[in-house]
Structures are given as C-alpha cells and as structure tokens.
C-alpha cells in the first residue's frame, strides 16, 4: 500500500517547460508525469495550449506547464494566441526548464532565452543527447551555452529514453517555494477530459498525415457525454480548405477511420473506460485568424 506524501515535508511549485518548437518539450512532460497528457508529433507547433501536468512524489509536487514553441515567423491570430500562452506561463511560474537540442543552438533558441524572466531560476535542459553522434561535442557545447546566462543548473537528458530525468527533478525541487500540496496527490493534470480528447484526435491527425496536411487544422469537441464509465464524444476536425478535407478523410474514409480508432484507444486507456467516438471533418476558411473561434476552442 502506497504511503501518502508527508504534507509537512513536501515542497511544491509551478515549473514552465519552454523552448523553440520541436525540441522535445511535450515528450519531456509526458515522461516526467508518466502519462501522455501532452500530444507528441515529429512536426513542430504540435502543442498549441498551455498544459499543466502534475507529478507528486514523497517530498515534492511539481506542477509542470508545457508551453507552445514560441513562434517567431508567423503572425496570424493562432500564433499570437500561442505566444501569449508562453509569456503568461513565464509570468506565473517559480522555475523555468529551458529545453534545447544537444549540439544545436541558433537564433530561435536565443530569442526564447531572451524572453525568460531574469528573476526566476532557469535550468538548462539539453535534450536528445542520445542522438548526438559525436559525444565529444557535448562538454564544449555545454560550456558554450553556459556563458549565455547564469543558469541554476545544466543537465543533458534524453526525454525519449527517460535518461537523467530523476536528476532533473532533484535539481528542480531545490527551487520549489511553496510548502505543502497545491493539488491532490492523485491528480495528473488540470485539463478537462473534453480538452484531452481533442488533443488526442489532433495528435493522430498530425502523426498520420505527416507533411500532407498544413497546420490549418484543429479539433472541436461538439458534444461530450458521460454515462457511467462510457463516454460519448462527438468531434469535428476543422480545416481551412475543401482540399484539406479530402486529405483528412482519405480514400474510402480510411484515414479518418484510423485517426478515430487510434484516438479512441488512447482515450480509453487514459479515461479507464469505454469511449464511443464519432469524428467528422468540416471546412471553415480562415479559422486560424478568427479570434472568436479561437477563444471558443480554448486558445488564450
């Protein structure tokens, strides 16, 4: 039987995970929490919302905020909303995990680094060390980046393989300011099941279509009903053009069916119950520049 955390010894705080797009922030969050609450894709800009993941240990509660990769090239309403999410997250947190790729630091990374608050501890997380072919480059690379800021710590990790993550938590705990729990010990996210359902569908959309589908696509949950342990979910994939709709549906509806099936299986694992999922596609031209629609979809 698990022993509950000692609330008198526990420390807690908000921890932002930030970095340019596609450095592995969502993979890092999911491995730290032990559940897939932030969607993962090989495509940049997959994460569009702030997502809170909660990890409770015997002596600490980490409330992680996974942010969208800061957008420096696009200026539509969607990307402006995503960038607001990043800056708001930074204003509210106690510790920042600044994630970069091992052996790679460019102007996009520097722009994110320049945004980080000067009055918060920042831990440099050098991810994807397992993909660095010349391991001899790692120490000189760390020394080079260390000169850019007085980091609270520098840690090479592999989020995908779970390497050095315990050490990352140990370093992060040193900067948690609050005594006691902020959330109950069995919570892993403050996002609703409705929100997570939309994210799971969107993940499959990007994973299965690769480079065929532009980013002008999102998911809207039109109805979410709970009947005991059964959830009935009705969702629309919103695309920008009729041609995009044909891509999502696929020949004979095969692509849409696979998106729905794989998303439903993920939902059933997370929700621990049966899911009836109905998904269709609708066209709404210019949705990524429609501020009212973006707010209705949960973009801040």
């Amino acid at each position: 039987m698990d022993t509950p955390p000692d609330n008198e010894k526990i420390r807690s705080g908000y921890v932002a995970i930030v970095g340019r797009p596609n450095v592995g922030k969502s993979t890092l969050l999911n491995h730290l929490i032990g559940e897939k609450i932030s969607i993962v894709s090989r495509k940049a800009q997959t994460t569009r919302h702030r997502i809170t993941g909660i990890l409770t240990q015997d002596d600490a509660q980490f409330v992680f905020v996974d942010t969208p990769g800061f957008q420096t090239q696009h200026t539509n309403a969607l990307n402006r909303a995503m960038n607001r999410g990043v800056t708001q997250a930074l204003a509210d947190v106690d510790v920042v995990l600044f994630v970069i790729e091992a052996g790679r630091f460019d102007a996009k990374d520097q722009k994110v680094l320049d945004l980080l608050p000067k009055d918060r501890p920042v831990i440099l997380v050098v991810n994807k060390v397992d993909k660095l072919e010349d391991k001899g480059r790692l120490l000189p690379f760390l020394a080079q980046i260390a000169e850019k800021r007085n980091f609270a710590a520098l840690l090479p990790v592999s989020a995908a393989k779970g390497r050095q993550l315990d050490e990352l938590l140990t370093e992060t705990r040193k900067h948690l300011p609050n005594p006691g729990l902020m959330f109950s010990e069995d919570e892993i996210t403050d996002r609703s099941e409705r929100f997570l359902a939309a994210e799971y569908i969107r993940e499959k959309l990007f994973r299965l279509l690769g480079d065929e589908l532009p980013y002008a696509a999102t998911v809207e949950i039109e109805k979410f009903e709970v009947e005991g342990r059964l959830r009935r979910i009705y969702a629309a994939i919103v695309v920008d053009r009729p041609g995009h709709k044909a891509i999502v549906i696929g020949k004979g509806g095969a692509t849409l069916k696979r998106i729905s099936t794989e998303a439903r299986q993920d939902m059933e694992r997370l929700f621990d119950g049966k899911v009836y999922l109905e998904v269709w596609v609708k066209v709404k031209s210019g949705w990524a520049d429609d501020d009212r629609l973006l707010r209705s979809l949960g973009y801040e």
Side-chain angles (χ1 to χ4, degrees), residues 15-26 29 38-39 43-52 64-72 77-90 96-99 108 111-112 115-116 191 195 199 202 298-300:
V15 183
I17 304 176
V18 301
R20 63 170 170 78
N22 214 25
V23 293
K25 300 183 299 296
S26 296
L29 174 64
S38 188
I39 72 172
K43 300 183 74 173
Q45 196 181 311
T46 305
T47 303
R48 291 180 179 166
H49 299 269
R50 290 174 57 184
I51 300 178
T52 299
F64 293 104
V65 182
D66 179 26
T67 63
F70 199 88
Q71 304 299 308
T72 58
L78 171 61
N79 285 290
R80 289 195 298 272
M82 291 165 66
N83 286 351
R84 285 196 300 272
V86 178
T87 53
Q88 183 63 44
L90 293 175
V96 177
L97 304 184
F98 175 47
V99 185
K108 294 177 182 178
K111 285 184 178 180
V112 178
L115 288 171
L116 303 185
R191 287 296 195 176
F195 171 85
E199 288 291 279
R202 201 162 59 82
Y299 296 98
E300 300 175 355

Side-chain angles (χ1 to χ4, degrees), residues 49 192-202 218-226 231-238 263-264 267 271 275-280 282 293 296-299:
H49 299 269
S192 68
E193 289 187 353
R194 186 187 189 105
F195 171 85
L196 293 171
E199 288 291 279
Y200 276 14
I201 297 168
R202 201 162 59 82
T218 193
V219 176
E220 182 178 10
I221 303 297
E222 299 200 352
K223 190 185 294 185
F224 191 110
E225 301 173 337
V226 180
R231 290 156 179 83
R232 297 184 183 275
I233 303 169
Y234 302 84
I237 295 174
V238 182
R264 175 184 55 78
M267 291 177 204
F271 301 154
V275 171
Y276 170 83
L277 177 63
E278 188 173 319
V279 183
W280 61 94
K282 65 181 182 182
L293 177 61
S296 74
L297 293 174
Y299 296 98

Side-chain angles (χ1 to χ4, degrees), residues 6 18 28 54 86 140 145 158 165 240 248 263 275 280 297:
D6 186 341
V18 301
L28 177 62
I54 305 161
V86 178
I145 307 304
S158 170
L165 300 191
D240 199 54
V248 175
V275 171
W280 61 94
L297 293 174

Side-chain angles (χ1 to χ4, degrees), residues 67-135:
T67 63
F70 199 88
Q71 304 299 308
T72 58
Q73 296 179 325
H74 308 289
T75 57
N76 64 18
L78 171 61
N79 285 290
R80 289 195 298 272
M82 291 165 66
N83 286 351
R84 285 196 300 272
V86 178
T87 53
Q88 183 63 44
L90 293 175
D92 295 340
V93 301
D94 304 301
V95 191
V96 177
L97 304 184
F98 175 47
V99 185
I100 64 174
E101 283 188 41
R104 178 181 176 185
F105 189 95
D106 59 23
K108 294 177 182 178
D109 297 288
Q110 186 64 54
K111 285 184 178 180
V112 178
L113 181 59
D114 291 341
L115 288 171
L116 303 185
K118 305 301 182 186
D119 60 345
R120 300 287 194 282
V122 176
I123 296 174
L124 178 67
V125 182
V126 182
N127 193 23
K128 305 185 183 181
V129 293
D130 54 306
K131 295 185 177 181
L132 192 64
E133 292 183 5
D134 181 3
K135 298 298 191 281

Side-chain angles (χ1 to χ4, degrees), residues 122-274:
V122 176
I123 296 174
L124 178 67
V125 182
V126 182
N127 193 23
K128 305 185 183 181
V129 293
D130 54 306
K131 295 185 177 181
L132 192 64
E133 292 183 5
D134 181 3
K135 298 298 191 281
R137 293 178 53 205
L138 184 58
L139 287 179
F141 177 74
L142 290 174
Q144 172 195 345
I145 307 304
E147 295 178 358
K148 297 181 179 295
R149 178 181 174 125
N150 184 23
F151 292 103
L154 294 83
L155 280 172
V157 308
S158 170
K161 296 185 179 300
R163 295 176 183 166
Q164 288 279 96
L165 300 191
D166 287 342
E167 290 80 0
L168 176 58
L169 291 173
T170 297
E171 288 295 332
T172 304
R173 187 196 182 280
K174 296 176 183 178
H175 306 286
L176 301 180
N178 304 313
L181 297 172
M182 297 192 298
F183 294 87
S184 67
E185 61 192 77
D186 58 350
E187 289 184 81
I188 62 167
T189 183
D190 66 349
R191 287 296 195 176
S192 68
E193 289 187 353
R194 186 187 189 105
F195 171 85
L196 293 171
E199 288 291 279
Y200 276 14
I201 297 168
R202 201 162 59 82
E203 177 192 41
K204 303 310 175 189
L205 184 66
F206 285 125
R207 273 184 175 270
L208 296 178
L209 292 175
D211 297 325
E212 293 181 66
L213 185 71
Y215 284 113
T218 193
V219 176
E220 182 178 10
I221 303 297
E222 299 200 352
K223 190 185 294 185
F224 191 110
E225 301 173 337
V226 180
E227 302 172 6
R229 294 188 65 191
L230 171 67
R231 290 156 179 83
R232 297 184 183 275
I233 303 169
Y234 302 84
I237 295 174
V238 182
V239 296
D240 199 54
R241 300 174 187 173
H244 299 165
K245 180 175 182 179
I247 292 172
V248 175
I249 293 174
K251 186 176 180 180
T255 303
L256 183 60
K257 181 178 180 181
R258 186 176 173 191
I259 289 169
S260 177
T261 299
E262 294 191 11
R264 175 184 55 78
Q265 290 169 345
D266 275 357
M267 291 177 204
E268 289 181 337
R269 280 190 289 269
L270 182 64
F271 301 154
D272 192 26
K274 289 293 184 181

